[in-house]
Amino acid sequence: MRAEAVQRLAGLGSARADVVDAARDANVDDEHDPEGATIAFERAQLEALAADARGQLAEIDAALARLADGTYGRCAVGGEPIAPGRLAARPTATTCMEHARRHVRFRP
Ligand SMILES: [Zn+2]
């Protein structure tokens, strides 16, 4: 999972570099130019995807740290075991289903 996330991040980085290069080649400097707006939009989308990938990478690293210290698979709220099905679906889960639901419900 970590290797995949790193690879995805690298791919997004080079896609972003391509957009920047394309913008330079097209000599688009004016943000009010329709072409410039398209490039800015593409760049913003790539940055959002990269932010997602970085967040996922951080979650994976945190899960690996929990594996190393022996707390992996335990709910961060109550300390009870997280159901294997939940971990299979979401290996970076930090809480059991019950506490994940409560957390969502109590979020302001
Ligand atoms: Zn729990």
Side-chain angles (χ1 to χ4, degrees), residues 75 77-80 95-96 99:
C75 176
V77 179
E80 68 278 13
T95 59
C96 69
H99 282 124

Side-chain angles (χ1 to χ4, degrees), residues 27-107:
N27 207 4
V28 179
D29 294 323
D30 185 358
E31 279 188 19
H32 301 296
D33 185 298
E35 187 74 6
T38 303
I39 289 165
F41 176 73
E42 279 179 21
R43 196 156 55 189
Q45 275 197 318
L46 287 169
E47 275 162 15
L49 288 170
D52 280 353
R54 273 192 296 271
Q56 202 184 17
L57 197 54
E59 281 184 18
I60 292 165
D61 283 342
L64 290 171
R66 291 196 299 280
L67 268 177
D69 72 15
T71 58
Y72 182 80
R74 298 240 158 224
C75 176
V77 179
E80 68 278 13
I82 301 172
R86 173 161 166 76
L87 285 175
R90 194 160 179 274
T92 59
T94 56
T95 59
C96 69
M97 207 58 151
E98 173 64 21
H99 282 124
R101 256 199 296 270
R102 281 199 221 173
H103 183 63
V104 168
R105 199 181 302 141
F106 288 146
R107 194 174 286 172

Side-chain angles (χ1 to χ4, degrees), residues 5-28:
V6 167
Q7 202 173 15
R8 197 149 42 90
L9 201 52
L12 287 167
S14 68
R16 189 185 183 283
D18 287 348
V19 170
V20 172
D21 287 349
R24 202 179 21 241
D25 292 349
N27 207 4
V28 179

